[in-house]
């Protein structure tokens, strides 16, 4: 008789802080196999259960944040909860679901003629990476 053990319960979900590479393993690698970042770049990710209100708040954030002195109070009013509750929910979502909350600018409408982009390539892939970048108008 053979008994198969399910070891998937022992696996943890890890994400590289530098490049967001993800893997399931018992322990985190000491270096990222994708970006070569060393010095223990991995953090353990925990699934976050979003309730219906969290999902509504996430959708609201994607549509913009009010440019007022207390934006979380304005959003809280929309959902019938306090600014503190909005902030607490956003903090919880930022732990694993929301990567960042920031402005995204249309560089052309601001008069910029270029965009700063940083990438990391293995030495043998620099030419193919440059070809991809050079195709951008």
């Amino acid at each position: 008789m053979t008994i198969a053990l399910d070891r998937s319960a022992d696996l943890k979900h890890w994400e590289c802080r530098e490049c967001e590479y993800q893997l399931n393993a018992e322990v985190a690698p000491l270096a990222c196999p994708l970006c070569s970042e060393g010095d223990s770049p991995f953090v353990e990710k925990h699934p976050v259960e979003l309730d219906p209100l969290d999902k509504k708040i996430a959708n609201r954030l994607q549509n913009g944040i009010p440019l007022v002195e207390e934006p979380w109070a304005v959003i809280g009013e929309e959902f019938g909860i306090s600014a503190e509750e909005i902030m607490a929910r956003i903090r919880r979502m930022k732990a694993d679901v929301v990567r960042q909350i920031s402005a995204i600018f249309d560089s052309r409408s601001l008069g910029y003629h270029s965009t700063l982009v940083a990438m990391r390539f293995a030495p043998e892939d620099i030419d193919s990476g440059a070809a991809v970048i050079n195709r951008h108008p």
Side-chain angles (χ1 to χ4, degrees), residues 65-122:
I65 298 173
L67 297 176
V68 296
E69 190 171 327
E70 296 184 23
W72 309 129
V74 171
I75 294 173
E77 275 183 39
E78 293 174 19
F79 295 107
I81 61 176
S82 70
E84 291 76 19
E85 176 69 14
I86 288 288
M87 291 170 60
R89 286 174 174 268
I90 291 171
R91 277 190 206 100
R92 189 171 50 78
M93 287 189 282
K94 278 196 73 169
D96 282 311
V97 177
V98 176
R99 272 189 256 161
Q100 70 182 44
I101 297 175
S102 63
I104 300 173
F105 300 101
D106 180 351
S107 58
R108 287 191 182 127
S109 69
L110 293 172
Y112 297 124
H113 299 285
S114 65
T115 300
L116 175 62
V117 177
M119 296 184 179
R120 182 180 298 179
F121 293 97

